[in-house]
């Protein structure tokens, strides 16, 4: 079995805005699963919220987008493209996510063309749904 690429090898994102630590499953152009481990040292926790650090929901949606982008960019037809947000629908936040949590991020891609695509994703913590959303993205050249 071959090893999976590191997210940093597929994505243009860099710390502190790389929001996935590793890929645990990858089917190029179809789906991906990744993990993001929160240490508590992340830049946003001191201000969101003082005394009750909570992962911002929008960053969970971004982590879904990044894992989806790994699935897109691993496909040979899209390696020179940059998937950009075109829309975000049906975002739901079901539980608080805090320092020390490990996020399991799963994304299934839908229709893709040479110009755009769709996907749907979830974030789970300890098997419990934390966030879900539908993504739309457009392609730009890198």
């Amino acid at each position: 079995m071959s090893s999976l690429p590191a997210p940093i090898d597929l994505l243009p994102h860099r710390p502190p805005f790389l929001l996935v630590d590793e890929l645990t499953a990858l089917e190029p152009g179809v789906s991906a699963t990744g993990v993001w481990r929160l240490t508590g040292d992340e830049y946003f926790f001191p201000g969101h919220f003082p005394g009750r650090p909570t992962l911002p929901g929008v960053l969970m949606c971004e982590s879904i987008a990044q894992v989806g982008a790994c699935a897109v960019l691993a496909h040979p037809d899209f390696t020179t493209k940059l998937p950009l947000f075109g829309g975000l629908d049906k975002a739901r936040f079901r539980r608080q996510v805090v320092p020390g949590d490990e996020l399991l991020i799963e994304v299934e891609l839908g229709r893709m063309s040479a110009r755009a695509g769709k996907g749907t994703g979830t974030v789970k913590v300890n098997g419990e749904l934390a966030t879900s959303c539908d993504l739309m993205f457009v392609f730009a050249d890198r």
Side-chain angles (χ1 to χ4, degrees):
M1 183 173 150
S2 64
S3 63
L4 296 174
I8 201 165
D9 294 333
L10 294 170
L11 297 172
H13 303 76
R14 294 296 176 260
F17 212 71
L18 181 62
L19 307 181
V20 56
D21 294 320
E22 71 174 303
L23 296 175
T24 58
L26 177 64
E27 188 173 349
V30 177
S31 64
T33 302
V35 175
W36 183 20
R37 294 174 192 88
L38 299 176
T39 65
D41 294 329
E42 290 81 8
Y43 70 91
F44 43 80
F45 280 133
H48 195 269
F49 298 97
R52 187 169 180 166
T54 302
L55 178 62
V58 68
L59 293 183
M60 284 189 273
C61 293
E62 174 65 23
S63 72
I64 291 169
Q66 288 185 18
V67 170
C70 287
V72 170
L73 295 171
H75 191 282
D77 292 347
F78 300 103
T79 57
T80 63
K81 299 295 183 182
L82 178 64
L84 301 172
F85 264 124
L88 185 67
D89 288 327
K90 300 179 185 172
R92 298 290 180 264
F93 308 100
R94 305 291 184 193
R95 76 183 295 281
Q96 184 180 22
V97 178
V98 299
D101 282 346
E102 181 174 288
L103 288 68
L104 179 67
I105 307 155
E106 299 175 308
V107 180
E108 294 282 332
L109 298 177
R111 180 190 56 78
M112 285 200 311
S113 70
R115 296 177 11 180
K118 291 185 176 187
T120 187
T122 60
V123 170
K124 293 178 183 173
V125 175
N126 295 324
E128 185 180 344
L129 183 65
T131 301
S132 61
C133 66
D134 293 340
L135 309 168
M136 290 169 285
F137 51 91
V138 295
F139 291 116
D141 291 325
R142 280 205 220 201

